[in-house]
Amino acid sequence: LTIARNVRTLALASTAICGLLFGHSDLSVAVGGPGYFYEPSSEQNVGTLRLKACSSTSNCVSSNYAEPPNRYISPLKIVNDRDTAFQRTVRDVQTSDFVITEVISKDYYIHLTTAGTAPGSIDDVELVIPEEGGIVNMRCEARVTLPPPPFCVKKNCINGNMDQRSRLKNLMNILGLPSADETQMQGAKWTPIFFNSDRVPGFYDNY
């Protein structure tokens, strides 16, 4: 089973990279179902590529700017051009426990799966590199929702969907990319957030 999974992942990764290198902008490779939380590009929304917002009833974290603190995670900052960052992301994921299930090269989109918290469950992980901004947007959602613990005790932790946050942090280390807000957060004072699922009052008034 492990060998079969590795062969499938390698085939998907190789196809995606070839699509970029040889200009197959319409390349779309899917195994195991579509990316349910992804808004594909079209003539109407070119340049506005994004991952869908998390549901308030799911175990989910995302770099979507509209998420409340307990469901928000910073996007990653790329250190190369968009094509190179995409190729390296696909390459580096092959050596991890994440499984590539879908790659859409024209949209710089990758859908991964990994083991979830509930026994035998799966978490979906999505990555997309928008045309502008020099970032990688991320999203992780559990297919099986579990009640979150009422608090966290680990230093600098953010309460809410901690397992999904940990999976994206692990992916960040695999890719070797820093958080986009790394500089801004240096020297920040952290305060625990308890039972918080509401958006910050007034924060979204301008959006």
Side-chain angles (χ1 to χ4, degrees):
L1 180 60
T2 300
I3 294 175
R5 187 187 73 174
N6 291 340
V7 169
R8 183 183 67 175
T9 300
L10 180 60
L12 281 168
S14 299
T15 305
I17 291 174
C18 287
L20 281 175
L21 291 178
F22 297 104
H24 299 304
S25 60
D26 60 344
L27 176 69
S28 177
V29 181
V31 174
Y36 298 104
F37 319 112
Y38 164 59
E39 298 177 350
S41 65
S42 65
E43 293 182 0
Q44 289 74 32
N45 70 349
V46 171
T48 60
L49 192 65
R50 62 176 61 89
L51 300 177
K52 293 183 179 179
C54 290
S55 166
S56 61
T57 60
S58 65
N59 297 142
C60 177
V61 293
S62 169
S63 61
N64 187 314
Y65 73 91
E67 301 292 354
N70 67 328
R71 290 199 297 273
Y72 177 78
I73 189 169
S74 171
L76 303 181
K77 182 178 180 180
I78 62 176
V79 295
N80 305 103
D81 62 86
R82 193 185 186 198
D83 285 349
T84 301
F86 183 78
Q87 294 172 30
R88 290 185 176 180
T89 297
V90 174
R91 179 199 66 189
D92 292 345
V93 168
Q94 296 178 60
T95 62
S96 71
D97 292 331
F98 293 90
V99 178
I100 299 176
T101 61
E102 185 173 19
V103 176
I104 303 179
S105 295
K106 69 183 181 67
D107 288 333
Y108 296 79
Y109 168 83
I110 305 169
H111 180 192
L112 312 170
T113 57
T114 189
T117 303
S121 69
I122 289 175
D123 281 13
D124 290 285
V125 176
E126 294 183 294
L127 304 172
V128 65
I129 304 177
E131 187 174 357
E132 299 179 351
I135 60 173
V136 180
N137 280 317
M138 307 185 293
R139 189 181 192 278
C140 178
E141 180 168 0
R143 295 187 186 180
V144 176
T145 299
L146 299 175
F151 56 87
C152 59
V153 296
K154 185 178 179 180
K155 183 179 179 181
N156 292 343
C157 70
I158 298 176
N159 190 44
N161 309 306
M162 291 176 286
D163 289 347
Q164 287 66 43
R165 190 178 302 277
S166 176
R167 288 176 181 85
L168 291 185
K169 293 286 188 182
N170 180 36
L171 184 58
M172 178 182 73
N173 292 332
I174 291 170
L175 300 180
L177 297 175
S179 296
D181 65 359
E182 184 178 53
T183 302
Q184 294 91 323
M185 298 307 295
Q186 288 180 353
K189 180 179 179 181
W190 290 86
T191 302
I193 300 175
F194 296 93
F195 303 99
N196 181 12
S197 62
D198 298 324
R199 299 187 177 190
V200 178
F203 184 77
Y204 303 95
D205 291 349
N206 295 325
Y207 294 94

